[in-house]
Amino acid sequence: MAHLQGPVPLGDDHYVQRPFEHELLRELMADRWVLLLGPRQHGKTSALVRLQTELSENGVPAAIVDLQAAPAPQSYAEFAAWVGSEVRRQLATADQPNNDSEDIGVLLGAALPPGNTPAVILVDEASNIPDTRWRNAFYGQLRAISSRRATARPEDAAARLRFVFAGTFRYESLIDAANSPFNVCERIDTDDLTVDDVCALTCQILGNENAPLSQPIFEEVGGQPFLVQKLLSKLQGCEEMQAALGAEITKLRTGESDHIIDLFRKMLSEPSLAAIGARMVRDGVAPVEAADPDFRYMQVLGLARRAGANLVFRNQLYARIAATSPQLGGMAPAPTLAPMFPVSIDAFNNVQNAELREIAWAGHKGAIAAYRAGSNRLALAGFGGSLEAMLLDLLMRLPNGALAPIVAQANITLRGGERTNNPATWNLVNLIKAAPHAGGGQGFDPPQALREWRNLIHPAVAQRNYRPDHELEPEARAAANLHEILLRDLP
């Protein structure tokens, strides 16, 4: 049956070996360090497990250090000791005494079996060291091992150790460039399944008589291993497989899958990545700018692939979701609800006040959840509340005395308790009027429509031009799109 959680077990008949795995072994046998990059749920860990077995069977000791499995150490020394103990345990040198050094090179050297046989350390989830100082120390010490290789004696750890660093990350900015071992690595990218691979998996899981189903699966999700197996697993035991496949693909296109939510959240949380995605939606392609690492990272994430000099979406499924998502400017009709995705709080970094940043992010997150639950009025209120927090932050940044001229220029009428020099006392109408004058001429111009839609949460306002909640779905889509524009343009 299809395997959807964790690495595929050794000996599983449904495992498909791909070209990048052969390339990994070739580079290691040629005495090179390797940087293995690829999307999540793309088979990296499964490949490392098999590589470890193959190396060990050929007399090359190998250990997997999964940084995602690291405990919560209290110091870098504890973290380094854990790495060393993992290697000792897997290389059967656990009987050697622990070394108190904080240098990972020393600890790994002590964990190696005697002799001058090469040994391979496979570092999985290589970006998963949250503490920046620890991360720089760890990778700086590994880079020092590489620097000693040329003069090391054959029995020295520097001469014996080979590394594979695997994950889904920006290697050029993960650590300080001077400390980076990634600069001395051969880069290998994971590859998708081929159409023949998908056909073979379909026959293995569903039987040879269902081989024709492999074509619509490949046309929709390409060779993305997780999605291929997810669809095949949903078809097992179904009587009407063609109809079941259509239903599962329709469900995926709504963006409800955790895989898709995680992927699009990562893109939408970084404005530079979202801009590339929006361009692919608008023009079908995004011309690659070779010096811009964002274009490489879109491929590492798995959202995009190269097509000549351009980036395009990795498969038809991602392209359809993007084209129907208002957060990317998508205007194509959605199968049911338009795909909308939460973003990380980092997407709101232009909001300078920490409390208002959290309020704006929470309002947006609530709006997305409400829309997904079919509560369009609540969604509109959430988008409007997020907007108000952004505008308030923008105006509160201005120096003393700057607000009075804006009040005059924007023809703002302050009433009741609204005070000229305290925008926190202003209503949303006045915040919207003032914002273009506070934006430094950068085209930041919040539309009044968001204010009107936000007010639909008030029963008396909603009743004046009453529409049932479900009929406000187009407004909610439009509000999501406007919110993304304003967040992008916020000075």
Side-chain angles (χ1 to χ4, degrees), residues 368-426:
I368 299 294
Y371 177 81
R372 286 175 173 271
S375 298
N376 294 306
R377 278 196 182 84
L378 282 176
L380 291 168
F383 287 127
S386 182
L387 165 71
E388 187 166 358
M390 290 192 281
L391 298 185
L392 186 55
D393 176 80
L394 176 63
L395 293 171
M396 286 175 63
R397 297 183 220 157
L398 298 178
N400 289 335
L403 285 169
I406 289 176
V407 169
Q409 292 166 16
N411 295 316
I412 291 174
T413 301
L414 300 176
R415 294 185 173 87
E418 293 180 295
R419 299 190 297 278
T420 300
N421 291 317
N422 185 2
T425 64
W426 297 6

Side-chain angles (χ1 to χ4, degrees), residues 243-259:
L245 177 60
E248 290 300 326
I249 287 175
T250 298
K251 192 182 299 183
L252 282 178
R253 288 176 183 173
T254 66
E256 289 298 313
S257 159
D258 288 343
H259 167 89

